[in-house]
């Protein structure tokens, strides 16, 4: 066992969610400037609020490594190290702590899933944290003043707010349809035995 | 999933992945922090195209790669023109393009599998902290194998909607997640059964 | 009762997907009530079935279902045809059993109360009433397969196309599903024309006519018993 | 050749999952080479099969496979047992055919050259050599199911457990899979003990012994022909 408490079931879920994020990228991107508007951020929010911080970190981490090793897993079939030298690098790297924070907030209570904790998680993690890394890195890479990069990022806000609402609605529907999705590997199969 | 790798037998292709990455990173940082003039920036970009040529990629590929970053180039050029004037705009745009193209060159001359192996080497010291490099590499391969499977789930859900004459819109993500996560449980069983995780 | 328009007619149909020839030279007229489709893996059975619901478009020739040209009027076609997929998981689109059955009625613009009533009636008819509020994923394989069929039947299709609907079922459940699909309406079977794709030759033999595909071509159409026996012999 | 230790022994086993009793009172000793498992949907067949590979743990009683206590030494158990699941898609863990077959060997830490050689030999033996570099997901259903089996066989398991491995296959492919699973090794069958869960009663009848489950209990163990005939009669 590589990481304590992280077993095959968690690994499989992280990999599946990474694949979902990749597939959401196939839906395409809207090029509104140097950083695209993409549905993949919805996948990042969902990973956080559904899988919880640990598995979401692995899921998003997988996507980032796949980008780095040169697979076209980002929207519009982009990938490769060039992305990490480009203006969207900060947002992209921000997905990782973003998903973790989303998971921490959404799952901050052991009680039943709640719509407001889910929404808050998606908002703070999926927007707050992602932008907090994305804006400064974009400013640095493009050699522009921070406030300009910040103003420029306003173009993502409407779309990202919609994604927060979608992530919340989808997570709650998923909880009705398949509550096990929200349990950890060990809990999802209580009596099952693992090596 | 098709990798962005372009086969070839140039010195760049044959260079060990780890060394190539390290060298690339050093070069990228150097280009970024060097206080460029119009001349040094131009020379730098020319040098990057020179490396492309060394790897066996001609002008057609240069165009293709520049086209891929057209949005970045256009945006930087316009912003800088408005705020810093034409000279600054030229220098900054060329410098940024050079770095991004250099990184892209690393990607198209290195096999995904070689990068994964380099990654395992890099991760080896983390063994002490409970990270199993083999497992990391395996998880990445597993994800690559899963992408077409998940894409097929999406196709089947779309088809089911058409067949039933309904449109779920974004709510179609719910059955996608249910199918995918149940699939993950089946995969987990297969992992256990094959003694992998 | 079948009438002149209750026929499935394919004229010189070919299907090409991603540059591969998948079906070729298919011409057939089927006006029987129970139609079985058999053939090896990859022979084109599912593609044929999907043509009938406009899920695949012919690259040549015409497909006419009950007088509707499948290429021209997909909307009318889908009103008339119900499709049951092999894997019920892909077909159950809503979280609970009742919601899933209701989904099919949503588009028809019925009122909430009427939808609820019709769903309830339909669930009762097929012995699923007690499961109305259960999460669909938690049903057994047999129950799921039945739910998938019920969700299709509630719209009152005149043709039901089912692609290997019994593969995961045990003898008893498979028998029940088969009875629904191929018995005459008087004996509890579906009151619509039925096309059933299957590897279960006993089920195929119970149809009025059997169509066999081989390598993307129509190999035989005709008497179920004769075709099934011949097919079985090939592998004996 | 079977010897004293090549037996599957369950003693008073019960399985409970999520508070549901799924298996109860199961005691049996099986030392035959070919073991068929039949029963209705939900009767506990898959749960029984999963016990044998430590995928489910008994909540009472003991499971011993070839002398290994399944609860104690899952690692040794998994070395000895290979499991083939119904859904081939979930078992394909690597992007290409050759990589998938190589996976278990790579995990065991074998060298690249040796792995490549053994993979090639194994693929050739089962007629998959030409597909070595194909994307695994693009294979046909029959090829996928065969790949899943081959990936398991390469580790040289002494017991192969297969849970409905032929459901999605046509007559020809199902026959080939069945031949591999239940023919004696001299006639091309697997050189290991085999437990096969199936709804295909003809396949079950070809085994050395049949186990029938009903409602989470062991209903019968014994002569395949007799048990299968009785079971068939129930639904006639
Ligand atoms: N979208 C597609 N692109 C390319 N080839 C396809 C596509 N869909 C199906 N095929 C191929 O067409 C052939 C016929 O497929 P089809 O699904 O109709 O077969 P089938 O008779 O239903 O087989 P099975 O018994 O396995 O369900 C197969 O070889 C299949 O691989
Ligand atoms: N993890 C679980 N939690 C709760 N119930 C379960 C779980 N796994 C299986 N069951 C239930 O246990 C019963 C036996 O399941 P099992 O899968 O062993 O049946 P089976 O004989 O293999 O059926 P089938 O022919 O449909 O494959 C079923 O009623 C099933 O719903
Ligand atoms: O594809 C990439 O290169 C990374 C994309 C980063 C997109 C950022 S994330 C926050 C914001 N919302 C969007 O829709 N796009 C940006
Ligand atoms: Mg088919
Ligand atoms: Mg089962």
């Amino acid at each position: 066992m590589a990481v304590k408490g992280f077993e095959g079931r968690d690994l499989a879920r992280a990999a599946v969610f990474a694949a979902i994020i990749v597939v959401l990228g196939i839906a395409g991107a809207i090029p509104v400037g140097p950083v695209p508007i993409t549905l993949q951020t919805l996948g990042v929010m969902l990973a956080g609020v559904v899988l919880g911080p640990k598995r979401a970190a692995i899921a998003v981490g997988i996507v980032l490594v796949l980008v780095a090793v040169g697979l076209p897993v980002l929207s519009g079939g982009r990938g490769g190290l060039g992305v990490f030298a480009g203006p969207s690098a900060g947002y992209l790297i921000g997905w990782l702590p973003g998903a973790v924070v989303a998971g921490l907030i959404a799952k901050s209570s052991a009680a039943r899933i709640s719509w407001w904790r889910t929404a808050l998680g998606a908002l703070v993690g999926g927007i707050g944290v992602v932008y907090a890394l994305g804006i400064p890195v974009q400013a640095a890479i493009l050699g522009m003043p921070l406030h300009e990069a910040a103003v420029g990022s306003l173009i993502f806000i409407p779309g990202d707010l919609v994604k927060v609402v979608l992530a919340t609605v989808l997570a709650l529907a998923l909880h009705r349809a398949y509550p096990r999705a929200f349990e950890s590997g060990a809990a999802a199969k209580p009596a099952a035995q693992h090596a | 999933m098709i990798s962005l790798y372009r086969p070839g037998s140039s010195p760049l292709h044959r260079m060990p992945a780890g060394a190539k990455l390290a060298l690339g990173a050093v070069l990228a940082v150097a280009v970024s922090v060097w206080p460029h003039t119009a001349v040094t920036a131009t020379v730098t970009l020319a040098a990057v195209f020179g490396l492309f040529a060394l790897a066996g990629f001609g002008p057609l590929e240069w165009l293709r790669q520049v086209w891929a970053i057209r949005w970045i180039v256009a945006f930087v050029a316009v912003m800088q023109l408005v705020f810093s004037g034409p000279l600054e705009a030229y220098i900054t745009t060329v410098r940024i393009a050079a770095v991004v193209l250099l990184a892209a060159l690393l990607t198209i001359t290195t096999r995904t599998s070689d990068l994964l192996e380099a990654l395992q080497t890099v991760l080896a010291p983390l063994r002490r902290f409970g990270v199993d490099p083999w497992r990391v590499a395996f998880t990445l391969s597993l994800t690559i194998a899963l992408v077409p499977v998940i894409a097929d789930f999406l196709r089947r859900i779309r088809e089911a909607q058409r067949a039933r004459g309904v449109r779920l819109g974004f709510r179609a993500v719910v059955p996608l997640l249910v199918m995918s996560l149940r699939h993950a449980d089946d995969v987990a069983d297969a992992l256990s059964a094959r003694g992998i995780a | 009762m079948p009438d002149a328009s209750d026929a499935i007619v394919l004229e010189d149909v070919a299907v090409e997907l991603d540059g591969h020839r998948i079906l070729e030279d298919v011409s057939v007229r089927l006006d029987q009530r129970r139609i079985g489709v058999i053939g090896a893996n990859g022979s084109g059975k599912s593609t044929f079935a999907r043509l009938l619901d406009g899920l695949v478009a012919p690259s040549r020739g015409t497909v006419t279902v009950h007088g509707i040209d499948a290429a021209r009027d997909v909307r009318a076609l889908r009103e008339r045809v119900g499709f049951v997929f092999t894997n019920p998981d892909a077909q159950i689109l809503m979280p609970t059993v009742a919601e899933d059955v209701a989904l099919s009625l949503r588009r028809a613009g019925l009122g909430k109360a009427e939808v609820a009533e019709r769903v309830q009636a339909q669930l009762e008819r097929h012995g699923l009433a007690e499961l109305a509020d259960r999460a669909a994923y938690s049903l057994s394989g047999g129950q799921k397969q039945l739910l998938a069929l019920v969700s299709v039947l509630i719209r009152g299709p005149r043709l039901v196309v089912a692609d290997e609907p019994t593969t995961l079922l045990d003898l008893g459940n498979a028998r029940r599903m088969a009875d629904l699909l191929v018995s005459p309406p008087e004996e509890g079977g579906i009151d619509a024309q039925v096309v059933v794709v299957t590897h279960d030759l006993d089920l195929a033999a119970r149809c009025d006519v059997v169509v066999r595909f081989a390598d993307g071509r129509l190999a035989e159409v005709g008497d179920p018993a004769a075709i099934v026996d011949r097919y079985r012999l090939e592998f004996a």
Side-chain angles (χ1 to χ4, degrees), chain A:
Chain A
M1 201 98 324
V3 181
K4 241 190 139 160
F6 199 82
E7 39 180 278
R9 205 160 295 276
D10 297 304
L11 187 151
R13 286 185 167 192
V16 155
F17 239 99
I20 289 174
I21 293 175
V22 172
V23 170
L24 284 174
I26 298 171
I30 311 176
V32 288
V35 180
I37 292 181
T38 155
L39 256 192
Q40 292 188 303
T41 46
L42 174 64
V44 172
M45 293 176 193
L46 280 172
V49 301
V50 174
L51 295 183
K54 208 148 111 193
R55 283 168 292 165
I58 308 277
V60 177
I62 292 170
V63 175
L64 298 191
V65 177
L66 290 180
V67 174
V69 298
L71 292 171
V73 296
L74 290 179
S75 58
R78 288 167 310 113
L81 291 164
V83 178
F84 288 98
S88 69
Y91 290 103
L92 189 60
I93 293 167
W95 286 358
L96 187 67
V100 170
V101 169
L104 284 173
I105 295 175
K107 300 210 160 183
S108 57
S109 155
R112 266 184 61 89
I113 182 174
S114 87
W115 71 265
W116 65 266
R117 245 186 266 119
T118 306
L120 190 68
L123 186 76
V124 175
I127 298 187
V129 175
V130 171
Y131 286 42
L133 266 92
I135 294 170
V137 171
Q138 183 185 352
I141 285 183
L142 298 183
M144 62 201 288
L146 196 60
H147 63 90
E148 265 166 38
V151 170
S153 76
L154 287 178
I155 189 161
F156 302 126
I157 290 288
D160 281 352
L161 286 177
V162 171
K163 287 177 215 159
V164 169
V165 174
L166 292 188
T168 309
V169 173
L170 291 171
L172 290 171
L174 178 63
H175 192 268
R176 274 198 315 131
Y178 191 53
R180 274 191 196 167
F182 293 78
E183 294 166 10
S184 78
K189 275 257 159 155
Q193 175 127 17
H194 298 279

Side-chain angles (χ1 to χ4, degrees), chain C residues 17-18 20 22 39-48 163-164 199:
Chain C
L17 287 176
D18 301 338
H20 296 272
I22 294 181
N41 285 133
S43 58
K45 303 180 298 297
S46 295
T47 308
F48 168 73
D163 193 356
E164 305 191 32
H199 290 301

Side-chain angles (χ1 to χ4, degrees), chain C residues 105-155:
Chain C
L105 293 178
R106 201 72 80 58
R107 280 286 295 284
L110 296 172
K112 242 191 184 162
E114 189 179 350
V115 168
E117 197 174 296
R118 283 176 57 175
V119 167
Q120 185 61 24
Q122 187 76 350
L123 288 175
E124 262 162 29
R125 180 160 339 135
H126 293 97
L128 290 174
E130 281 177 19
L131 303 175
D133 294 316
R134 276 272 292 277
Y137 90 91
S138 71
L139 302 184
S140 77
Q143 291 168 332
K144 263 189 215 170
Q145 201 62 269
L146 190 58
L147 169 61
L149 179 60
V150 167
S151 290
V152 160
L153 289 183
I154 197 164
R155 297 174 74 207

Side-chain angles (χ1 to χ4, degrees), chain A residues 2 34 70 72 81 141-144, chain B residues 2 4 75 79-80 96 107 130 135:
Chain A
L81 291 164
I141 285 183
L142 298 183
M144 62 201 288
Chain B
I2 307 133
L4 300 171
F75 180 80
M79 289 291 283
Q80 295 286 330
I96 290 170
T107 293
R135 223 162 167 244

Side-chain angles (χ1 to χ4, degrees), chain B residues 111-131:
Chain B
R111 271 203 186 79
T112 298
S113 56
D114 290 343
L115 278 169
L116 286 176
E117 239 157 63
L119 182 74
Q120 284 192 63
T121 317
V122 174
L123 290 178
L126 294 182
R127 246 181 230 288
R128 277 185 294 153
F129 304 103
V131 176

Side-chain angles (χ1 to χ4, degrees), chain C residues 8-178:
Chain C
I8 297 166
V9 185
L10 277 76
E11 284 174 67
D12 190 25
V13 167
V15 173
E16 211 162 289
L17 287 176
D18 301 338
H20 296 272
R21 251 305 140 89
I22 294 181
L23 279 183
E24 217 162 349
D25 270 347
V26 181
S27 295
V28 68
R29 182 193 160 86
L30 300 162
D31 54 10
Q32 297 83 345
R33 297 296 277 166
R34 303 298 188 228
I35 301 157
V37 179
I38 64 172
N41 285 133
S43 58
K45 303 180 298 297
S46 295
T47 308
F48 168 73
R50 295 147 65 90
L51 277 169
L52 306 181
D53 198 20
L55 292 168
V56 177
S59 48
R60 213 184 57 206
T62 57
V63 176
T64 316
V65 175
H66 298 191
I68 302 165
D69 182 337
R72 291 261 169 76
D73 198 351
V74 191
R75 180 175 294 248
L77 185 70
R78 299 247 167 88
E79 289 276 304
R80 209 167 168 89
V81 182
F83 200 101
V84 183
F85 295 85
T86 310
N87 178 354
D89 283 327
Q91 180 169 190
I92 296 172
L93 298 170
M94 299 297 279
T96 66
V97 171
E99 282 174 284
D100 194 71
V101 179
L103 179 66
S104 307
L105 293 178
R106 201 72 80 58
R107 280 286 295 284
L110 296 172
K112 242 191 184 162
E114 189 179 350
V115 168
E117 197 174 296
R118 283 176 57 175
V119 167
Q120 185 61 24
Q122 187 76 350
L123 288 175
E124 262 162 29
R125 180 160 339 135
H126 293 97
L128 290 174
E130 281 177 19
L131 303 175
D133 294 316
R134 276 272 292 277
Y137 90 91
S138 71
L139 302 184
S140 77
Q143 291 168 332
K144 263 189 215 170
Q145 201 62 269
L146 190 58
L147 169 61
L149 179 60
V150 167
S151 290
V152 160
L153 289 183
I154 197 164
R155 297 174 74 207
R158 302 307 313 136
L159 166 63
V160 172
V161 182
D163 193 356
E164 305 191 32
T166 60
T167 29
L168 295 167
L169 304 183
D170 65 29
L171 230 54
N173 279 324
R175 176 67 55 101
R176 264 186 291 282
M177 177 63 77

